[in-house]
Amino acid sequence: MPSYTQARSHSLRLGRYSEAGRSYLLTTVTHHRLPLFNDLRNGRLLVHEMRRCEQEGLVDSLAWVVMPDHLHWLLTLNSGTLGQMMKRLKARSSLALKRRQSSSGSIWQPGFHDHALRRDEDLQAAARYIVANPLRAGLVKRIGDYPLWDAIWLENGYEG
């Protein structure tokens, strides 16, 4: 019998449609919600792979935050599908993290959540909400104190 996570991850794909030029808020979670990104070096490996997706012309990053056990990423899709891009991001980041930790096993939960922003939704408000996650989680007292975030509209983002 499939686990709840397996059954639910399949339903995350139902009705998914990727449209080039549209902005999306994506969320993906580590396997068993392990806080892999409490280690800043692990977080930097993930950020490197996100930037590779951008350099390859797949997406334009608008805002993101790497939390200890998940990623929130506001982006505009340029080419391909969300599924293809996320598969690439997860595969590459998994490989990099496994090499660094000399480990095997799953890094990410299957699937991801996506929300296509409507044309009238405020991208800057969505970005502020994303980068404020560490504040709401009680990880820092000021956004600028958290090292793993960035937004095209805000200063003091991640520079590593």
Side-chain angles (χ1 to χ4, degrees):
M1 171 175 246
S3 72
Y4 173 74
T5 302
Q6 290 170 329
R8 190 164 176 263
S9 70
H10 173 73
S11 69
L12 289 175
R13 293 187 297 269
L14 296 176
R16 178 170 286 150
Y17 174 75
S18 300
E19 180 183 356
R22 180 170 295 276
S23 296
Y24 294 90
L25 172 55
L26 305 178
T27 302
T28 191
V29 180
T30 60
H31 189 65
H32 295 302
R33 294 200 76 110
L34 291 174
L36 296 173
F37 306 116
N38 275 339
D39 183 328
L40 183 59
R41 292 169 295 189
N42 288 344
R44 286 182 174 159
L45 287 174
L46 175 58
V47 170
H48 174 77
E49 297 306 332
M50 293 165 59
R51 289 195 170 146
R52 278 182 67 186
C53 289
E54 189 165 20
Q55 290 164 355
E56 292 169 353
L58 302 174
V59 301
D60 288 325
S61 291
L62 304 175
W64 52 264
V65 65
V66 177
M67 297 294 287
D69 63 356
H70 63 281
L71 165 68
H72 294 292
W73 194 6
L74 179 64
L75 57 83
T76 300
L77 184 67
N78 292 330
S79 66
T81 68
L82 292 173
Q84 291 166 338
M85 188 276 303
M86 286 300 286
K87 183 176 182 178
R88 183 176 294 187
L89 175 71
K90 286 181 168 187
R92 288 178 176 172
S93 62
S94 291
L95 184 59
L97 288 163
K98 288 176 186 180
R99 281 185 184 150
R100 180 175 183 279
Q101 298 176 350
S102 299
S103 66
S104 61
S106 297
I107 299 294
W108 298 103
Q109 285 185 10
F112 60 95
H113 181 269
D114 66 285
H115 170 72
L117 277 73
R118 295 183 307 270
R119 302 284 182 215
D120 62 342
E121 285 186 86
D122 186 352
L123 290 175
Q124 288 185 27
R128 284 186 199 98
Y129 180 81
I130 289 166
V131 301
N133 268 267
L135 287 172
R136 287 192 302 277
L139 299 176
V140 292
K141 295 197 183 304
R142 294 178 335 108
I143 292 171
D145 293 340
Y146 194 75
L148 293 171
W149 71 274
D150 200 3
I152 63 172
W153 300 279
L154 304 172
E155 295 180 23
N156 299 322
Y158 174 79
E159 298 177 14

